[in-house]
């Protein structure tokens, strides 16, 4: 028992935040662990949080955008190791180029080690496939804003739900064809517009057609292009909270856009079963970092930055939209607020618009 | 085997003294079987010219493939435009000419490139500059042909157009269909699946089937290899059949030489393996090169001259004559153009006379036969 006590004390030392109950007496404001008269158990909060979120589950909405045939559905299936794309879920799926851009979303609940996640994949068939692709990004911009609007309405409601259903797009994966040259005009137009309202992660699709040198050159040129056009992709530099984040994110930024290859077929390589594409000249292992950067993308999207993506969407993009919207309704005057709220909520909107 | 080679063999056979029966036949041998040989020698002296157009979106490996095909470096100092410059870019037509010589045979090769095709956001009618260019070449040839000094006509007509289909899609895209439909009656189109090293063998097969279906469905007339003569060797026929089933060719190009299996070959080095451009099991580059250069170059030129150019010419003349008829010019000076199409009445008369002639010929033959029988 005594040993346990010692160990616990060591851990307690790391807590340096001022405790709310002690205010007047302490001049420094920070209580060192040594000053506590025993183990308080603050850190158990983490456990409680974990238990609660595990019960509630997570939501994640990912949008995939790109021309038809770039491997969007395959990549999503590979990322989540299950058949979650629109292609796998529609019966009698036929690969046809649709004449207009329309968005389709498919939701699944996937579970791993007791953690449930409601994953929604939003697909954009028809994007960039026509001869005249002007304004093909408009339906997408509209959709993103509509989700923000939905959330805003729920938030401003008087009787709002305990957990507002979150259909906002947390991440938009934009697929660039592996041309090896520069960004195309349509890519620039799309990313410029969407980069302001959603977190964009550009990837080089079907990257098994580029050798390693070509890949490096292509990435460099894309990064130059992005900078020249003022396009900010995730992770954005200005949202780095501290030095630790910045170092981590800088490493990621050096590798953007990720060159990915996706597949759902397995082959035998050196006695192991690996996900890969088998060609006459070799097997391209999808999860091998020496072959392609799929593993880096997966780590970014799921293992390390999933919560960060959601936070950025909520704290930054959604807030920008909210401020814009509320300013609009303010400018329009209280009577003409375009936000059609439920009965009995006019006062609330008055109060909000005075912010 | 090359048709040239086969013909040479024939000539050799004829000139080589063998058995007595052949020697007897030699006495009746006139000797014009050496004509192909003479043509061959003359054309070698004159040299050939060939104009090849490459079309497709940028980044599909067109320049690399051209360099691989002709083992040259036509695009040495090319500067790639960045996205800003390309937003305002229109489709251009650029020409590179190079003189290649191999075993005494000279080839003047012109490559017509179409940078900017299909790159903009709005690609409506992006093929128009290309069709205009082809028409211009036809028109220039037409004028030269109708001119007074026809000694040094420069033939800039496009003999073949390689159209690059991206391997990223599931078949033909709308812009591919529209482009090919706009050009299939003006130039020989050879569709290719570019950057085939991002496809597994199954995917290649699926894509080829799909593209072939769609080409048929949309009624696009791509270049058809001429049918083999029925007296060609079995091996030749088999090769021809295989070739036809292989279209559209899935190609990979490379400017770099890598070391594979102990040899230095043209290829692309990946962490997972080496793609050899000239390996038939890796891609159809060898087949394309054979078709384009080794066996069907002349046929491509012939089809351009006999079919596409004639179509253009007929169209042009029809337009001109209809214009004349509209203008109602009665006493025109000596017309360089042929007479206007005869009206229905004269056509009928001509037909009647033709039939009479035919009947008379048949009667003559019958009479000859009867005389022959009487003799014997």
């Amino acid at each position: 028992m005594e040993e346990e006590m010692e160990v616990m004390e060591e851990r307690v030392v790391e807590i340096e935040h001022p405790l709310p109950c002690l205010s007047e007496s302490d001049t420094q404001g920070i209580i060192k662990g040594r000053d506590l008269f025993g183990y308080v158990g603050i850190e158990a909060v983490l456990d409680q949080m974990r238990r609660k979120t595990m019960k509630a589950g997570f939501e994640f909405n990912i949008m995939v955008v790109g021309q038809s045939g770039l491997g969007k559905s395959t990549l999503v299936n590979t990322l989540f190791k299950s058949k979650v794309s629109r292609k796998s879920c529609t019966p009698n799926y036929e690969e046809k180029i649709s004449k207009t851009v329309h968005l389709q979303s498919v939701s699944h609940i996937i579970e791993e080690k007791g953690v449930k996640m409601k994953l929604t994949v939003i697909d954009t068939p028809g994007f960039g496939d026509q001869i005249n692709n002007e304004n093909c990004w408009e339906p997408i911009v509209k959709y993103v804003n509509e989700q923000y609007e939905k959330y805003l309405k729920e938030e401003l409601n008087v009787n709002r739900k305990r957990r507002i259903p979150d259909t906002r797009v947390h991440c938009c994966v934009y697929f660039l064809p592996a041309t090896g040259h520069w960004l195309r005009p349509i890519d620039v137009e799309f990313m410029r517009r969407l980069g302001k309202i959603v977190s964009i992660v550009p990837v080089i699709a079907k990257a098994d057609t580029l050798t390693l040198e070509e890949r490096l050159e292509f990435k460099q040129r894309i990064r130059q292009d992005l900078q020249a056009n003022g396009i900010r992709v995730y992770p954005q530099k200005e949202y780095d909270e501290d030095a630790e984040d910045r170092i981590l994110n800088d490493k990621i930024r050096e590798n953007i856009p990720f060159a990915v290859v996706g597949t759902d077929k397995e082959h035998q390589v050196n006695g192991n079963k690996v996900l890969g594409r088998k060609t006459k000249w070799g097997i391209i292992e999808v999860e091998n970092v020496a072959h392609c950067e799929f593993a880096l993308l997966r780590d970014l999207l799921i293992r390390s930055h999933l919560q960060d993506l959601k936070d950025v969407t909520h704290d930054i993009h959604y807030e920008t939209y909210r401020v814009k919207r509320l300013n609009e309704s303010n400018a329009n005057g209280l009577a003409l607020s375009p936000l059609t709220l439920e009965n009995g909520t006019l006062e609330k909107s008055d109060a909000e618009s005075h912010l | 085997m090359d048709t040239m080679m086969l013909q040479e063999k024939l000539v050799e056979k004829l000139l080589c003294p063998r058995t007595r029966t052949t020697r007897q036949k030699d006495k009746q041998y006139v000797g014009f079987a050496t004509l192909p040989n003479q043509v061959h020698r003359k054309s070698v002296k004159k040299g050939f010219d060939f104009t090849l157009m490459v079309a497709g979106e940028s980044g599909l490996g067109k320049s690399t493939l051209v360099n691989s095909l002709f083992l040259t470096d036509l695009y040495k100092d090319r500067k790639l435009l960045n996205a800003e410059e390309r937003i305002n870019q229109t489709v251009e037509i650029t020409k590179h000419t190079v003189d290649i010589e191999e075993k005494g045979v000279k080839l003047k090769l012109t490559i017509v490139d179409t940078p900017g095709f299909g790159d903009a956001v709005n690609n409506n009618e992006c093929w128009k500059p290309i069709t205009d260019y082809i028409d211009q070449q036809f028109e220039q040839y037409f004028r030269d042909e109708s001119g007074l000094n026809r000694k040094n006509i420069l033939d800039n007509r496009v003999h073949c157009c390689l159209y690059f289909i991206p391997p990223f899609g599931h078949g033909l895209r709308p812009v591919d269909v529209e482009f090919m439909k706009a050009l299939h009656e003006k130039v020989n189109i050879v569709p290719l699946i570019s950057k085939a090293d991002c496809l597994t063998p199954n995917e290649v097969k699926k894509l080829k089937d799909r593209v072939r279906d769609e080409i048929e469905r949309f009624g696009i007339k791509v270049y058809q290899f001429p049918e083999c003569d029925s007296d060609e060797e079995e091996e030749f026929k088999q090769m021809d059949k295989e070739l036809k089933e292989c279209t559209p060719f899935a190609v990979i190009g490379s400017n770099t030489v890598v070391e594979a299996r102990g040899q230095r070959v043209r290829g692309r080095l990946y962490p997972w393996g080496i793609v050899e451009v000239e390996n038939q099991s890796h891609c159809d580059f060898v087949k394309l090169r054979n078709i384009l250069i080794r066996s069907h170059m002349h046929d491509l030129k012939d089809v351009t001259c006999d079919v596409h150019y004639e179509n253009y010419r007929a169209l042009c003349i029809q337009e001109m004559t209809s214009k004349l008829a509209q203008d109602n010019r009665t006493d025109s000076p000596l017309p360089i153009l042929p007479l206007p199409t005869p009206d229905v009445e004269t056509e009928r008369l001509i037909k009647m006379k033709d039939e009479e002639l035919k009947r008379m010929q048949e009667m003559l033959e019958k009479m000859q036969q009867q005389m022959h029988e009487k003799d014997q």
Side-chain angles (χ1 to χ4, degrees):
Chain A
M1 276 296 281
E2 279 185 320
E3 280 180 11
E4 268 185 54
M5 282 294 285
E6 277 181 4
V7 168
M8 280 196 211
E9 272 195 44
E10 270 182 63
R11 276 199 274 168
V12 166
V13 167
E14 287 164 22
I15 298 177
E16 286 190 6
H17 297 298
L19 292 171
C21 47
L22 292 157
S23 43
E24 324 69 49
S25 50
D26 201 48
T27 44
Q28 282 184 346
I30 295 179
I31 309 269
K32 290 279 170 22
R34 282 184 294 273
D35 301 336
L36 289 172
F37 305 119
Y39 169 62
V40 177
I42 299 159
E43 53 152 359
V45 147
L46 289 171
D47 271 335
Q48 295 171 28
M49 261 179 66
R50 189 180 295 140
R51 239 181 295 134
K52 276 215 158 175
T53 42
M54 269 180 68
K55 258 203 251 169
F58 295 87
E59 281 176 317
F60 190 58
N61 305 326
I62 181 169
M63 178 189 273
V64 283
V65 185
Q67 282 181 328
S68 100
L70 284 180
K72 305 187 287 291
S73 316
T74 314
L75 189 74
V76 169
N77 284 352
T78 319
L79 267 175
F80 295 102
K81 290 219 161 93
S82 28
K83 296 208 184 299
V84 288
S85 71
R86 169 183 59 107
K87 215 199 284 196
S88 329
C89 302
T90 324
N92 303 330
Y93 178 78
E94 240 189 67
E95 281 155 359
K96 257 193 299 208
I97 291 185
S98 57
K99 295 236 179 304
T100 52
V101 182
H102 55 276
L103 288 96
Q104 291 178 350
S105 68
V106 180
S107 294
H108 297 265
I109 297 188
I110 52 183
E111 182 172 332
E112 188 183 69
K113 293 206 181 126
V115 180
K116 283 205 258 303
M117 180 155 90
K118 178 161 177 266
L119 171 73
T120 307
V121 178
I122 303 147
D123 205 345
T124 56
F127 177 83
D129 285 332
Q130 306 311 313
I131 298 180
N132 183 355
N133 289 314
E134 260 171 22
N135 301 327
C136 63
W137 46 80
E138 275 182 6
I140 301 175
V141 174
K142 201 167 101 151
Y143 178 85
V144 171
N145 285 334
E146 268 172 17
Q147 307 314 308
Y148 287 151
E149 183 72 24
K150 251 199 241 174
Y151 197 87
L152 184 65
K153 278 204 207 155
E154 254 326 299
E155 235 192 11
L156 294 177
N157 221 342
V158 170
N159 302 318
R160 59 187 182 188
K161 306 193 185 122
R162 248 186 116 192
R163 278 196 74 215
I164 306 176
D166 192 0
T167 54
R168 300 171 294 186
V169 178
H170 299 132
C171 173
C172 173
V173 183
Y174 187 69
F175 286 70
L176 298 164
T179 56
H181 292 183
W182 295 83
L183 284 183
R184 301 168 303 156
I186 190 177
D187 301 330
V188 172
E189 290 296 315
F190 178 84
M191 288 202 273
R192 193 188 281 161
R193 288 183 170 75
L194 270 270
K196 301 191 188 133
I197 56 178
V198 80
S199 302
I200 296 190
V201 177
V203 295
I204 302 176
K206 298 208 169 173
D208 49 351
T209 187
L210 296 170
T211 60
L212 290 179
E213 304 95 53
E214 290 171 353
R215 198 193 281 180
L216 280 172
E217 279 178 17
F218 188 36
K219 283 204 217 189
Q220 247 180 351
R221 285 199 211 113
I222 292 181
R223 280 197 292 267
Q224 276 174 11
D225 252 345
L226 289 175
Q227 214 181 17
N229 283 298
I231 298 171
R232 289 199 295 268
V233 297
Y234 183 82
Q236 293 96 331
K237 264 215 171 105
E238 45 272 7
Y239 307 142
D240 285 339
E241 288 173 9
D242 50 27
E244 195 187 311
D245 267 352
R246 203 173 310 132
I247 296 173
L248 184 65
N249 287 345
D250 271 342
K251 269 224 195 90
I252 296 173
R253 277 189 281 263
E254 275 169 29
N255 278 323
I256 280 192
F258 294 117
V260 294
V261 174
T263 183
D264 44 13
K265 299 204 177 54
E266 286 187 337
H267 299 277
Q268 288 276 0
V269 171
N270 296 336
N272 300 332
K273 267 200 151 210
V274 286
L275 276 178
R277 285 169 62 75
K278 183 153 185 223
T279 56
K280 287 251 161 74
W281 45 88
I283 298 184
I284 304 162
E285 295 168 43
V286 166
E287 292 177 338
N288 184 340
V289 191
H291 287 192
C292 76
E293 295 173 341
F294 170 79
L296 293 177
L297 176 72
R298 180 196 52 201
D299 288 348
L300 174 75
L301 283 185
I302 303 174
R303 293 184 189 178
S304 51
H305 285 67
L306 193 136
Q307 189 57 37
D308 188 55
L309 277 164
K310 292 178 70 172
D311 287 340
V312 165
T313 308
H314 182 73
D315 297 334
I316 296 166
H317 296 297
Y318 172 65
E319 287 300 311
T320 316
Y321 178 80
R322 187 169 167 274
V323 165
K324 192 171 70 130
R325 215 51 188 93
L326 295 176
N327 278 337
E328 274 175 18
S329 70
N330 205 3
N332 284 337
L334 303 168
L336 298 167
S337 166
L339 287 169
T340 49
L341 302 169
E342 318 252 298
N343 289 336
T345 51
L346 265 176
E347 290 108 40
K348 180 101 192 238
S349 81
D350 284 359
E352 292 275 24
S353 56
H354 282 306
L355 287 168
Chain B
M1 272 196 268
D2 223 336
T3 39
M4 230 21 135
M5 271 175 58
L6 284 170
Q7 280 163 340
E8 282 212 2
K9 274 184 120 183
L10 170 69
V11 170
E12 263 184 14
K13 244 200 259 180
L14 285 168
L15 293 178
C16 180
R18 291 241 188 97
T19 60
R20 205 166 16 115
T21 40
T22 45
R23 234 191 241 133
Q24 273 182 351
K25 285 196 181 138
D26 273 357
K27 291 211 184 104
Q28 299 149 12
Y29 170 53
V30 179
F32 56 80
T34 58
L35 263 174
N37 226 5
Q38 298 175 27
V39 170
H40 171 86
R41 242 183 300 129
K42 273 212 161 180
S43 18
V44 165
K45 267 203 243 163
K46 197 169 101 171
F48 296 92
D49 63 358
F50 191 66
T51 308
L52 178 70
M53 176 184 271
V54 284
E57 282 186 359
S58 66
L60 289 179
K62 302 190 291 291
S63 350
T64 314
L65 188 76
V66 165
N67 284 345
S68 308
L69 271 174
F70 297 101
L71 296 177
T72 60
D73 200 0
L74 285 172
Y75 295 87
K76 248 190 288 248
D77 304 313
R78 191 167 65 141
K79 180 170 104 72
L80 292 173
L81 303 172
N82 65 13
E84 270 171 14
E85 289 168 355
R86 278 157 81 198
I87 284 180
N88 301 322
Q89 190 195 34
T90 51
V91 182
E92 290 179 0
I93 307 273
T94 58
K95 262 169 56 164
H96 298 265
T97 309
V98 73
D99 284 309
I100 309 178
E101 180 168 335
E102 195 182 65
K103 293 201 186 144
V105 181
K106 292 198 258 299
L107 175 69
K108 176 165 165 280
L109 174 72
T110 310
I111 308 280
V112 180
D113 201 348
T114 56
F117 175 79
D119 284 340
V121 180
N122 182 355
N123 290 315
N124 262 340
E125 310 243 309
C126 59
W127 49 84
K128 205 155 173 316
I130 301 174
T131 48
D132 285 347
Y133 176 80
I134 295 178
D135 281 340
Q136 262 173 29
Q137 306 312 309
F138 279 159
E139 189 178 323
Q140 190 211 331
Y141 193 82
F142 181 45
R143 275 185 207 288
D144 286 347
E145 207 184 38
S146 325
L148 293 171
N149 185 357
R150 306 210 298 180
K151 247 191 170 185
N152 299 319
I153 303 181
L154 217 59
D155 187 5
N156 281 327
R157 295 172 293 182
V158 179
H159 298 126
C160 175
C161 174
L162 296 178
Y163 184 66
F164 287 69
I165 300 172
F168 308 129
H170 296 299
L172 292 179
R173 300 165 302 157
V175 69
D176 300 331
V177 173
E178 290 303 312
F179 175 86
M180 290 204 271
K181 277 172 85 165
L183 264 90
H184 63 166
E185 307 215 311
K186 294 187 198 274
V187 75
N188 298 318
I189 297 189
V190 177
L192 301 173
I193 297 177
S194 55
K195 291 205 168 173
D197 52 354
C198 77
L199 299 169
T200 61
N202 274 347
E203 291 170 351
V204 170
K205 188 168 170 317
K206 240 174 59 176
L207 186 62
K208 281 192 186 183
D209 287 340
R210 185 87 186 244
V211 171
R212 265 202 305 266
D213 276 340
E214 289 183 343
I215 285 181
E216 216 181 285
R217 189 155 46 102
F218 289 110
I220 299 173
K221 304 196 203 95
V222 294
Y223 173 68
Q224 301 291 340
F225 309 120
E227 293 293 336
C228 274
D229 299 327
S230 50
D231 58 350
E232 290 281 1
E233 293 174 0
E234 197 53 50
E235 185 192 315
F236 198 68
K237 275 203 230 172
Q238 180 66 20
M239 252 176 44
D240 201 57
K241 195 160 124 0
E242 274 175 27
L243 265 170
K244 291 208 180 116
E245 284 172 5
C246 229
T247 55
F249 295 126
V251 292
I252 302 171
S254 167
N255 282 335
T256 51
V257 178
V258 295
E259 181 107 12
R261 297 177 284 139
Q263 291 178 331
R264 288 177 67 78
V265 288
R266 279 181 156 246
R268 291 169 66 73
L269 176 63
Y270 290 114
W272 46 85
I274 299 180
V275 178
E276 296 167 45
V277 165
E278 294 186 1
N279 186 337
Q280 294 238 35
S281 64
H282 286 189
C283 71
D284 297 330
F285 173 80
V286 176
K287 292 202 182 77
L288 172 71
R289 185 183 53 193
N290 288 347
I291 288 276
L292 206 58
I293 303 173
R294 295 184 189 175
S295 44
H296 289 76
M297 190 183 253
H298 206 79
D299 184 65
L300 284 164
K301 290 178 72 167
D302 279 344
V303 173
T304 311
C305 292
D306 299 337
V307 178
H308 299 295
Y309 174 64
E310 289 301 315
N311 280 345
Y312 173 84
R313 191 168 165 273
L315 209 71
C316 218
I317 291 173
Q318 248 182 9
E319 277 179 16
M320 279 199 250
T321 50
S322 67
K323 241 180 78 172
L324 271 179
Q326 272 180 4
D327 292 349
N328 259 339
R329 294 233 300 257
T330 44
D331 36 71
S332 51
L334 202 64
I336 324 163
L337 308 161
L339 297 166
T341 49
D343 55 325
V344 187
E345 186 59 42
T346 33
E347 286 238 41
R348 201 171 56 83
L349 281 170
I350 292 173
K351 232 193 211 167
M352 267 173 48
K353 296 283 178 191
D354 268 357
E355 281 176 32
E356 252 190 70
L357 268 168
K358 242 196 227 162
R359 259 179 286 147
M360 286 176 59
Q361 270 187 345
E362 279 176 37
M363 276 174 44
L364 208 70
E365 271 185 39
K366 263 202 211 137
M367 279 166 54
Q368 276 189 345
Q369 261 192 345
Q370 280 177 0
M371 279 174 38
H372 202 70
E373 282 172 30
K374 264 202 199 150
D375 275 1
Q376 292 191 342

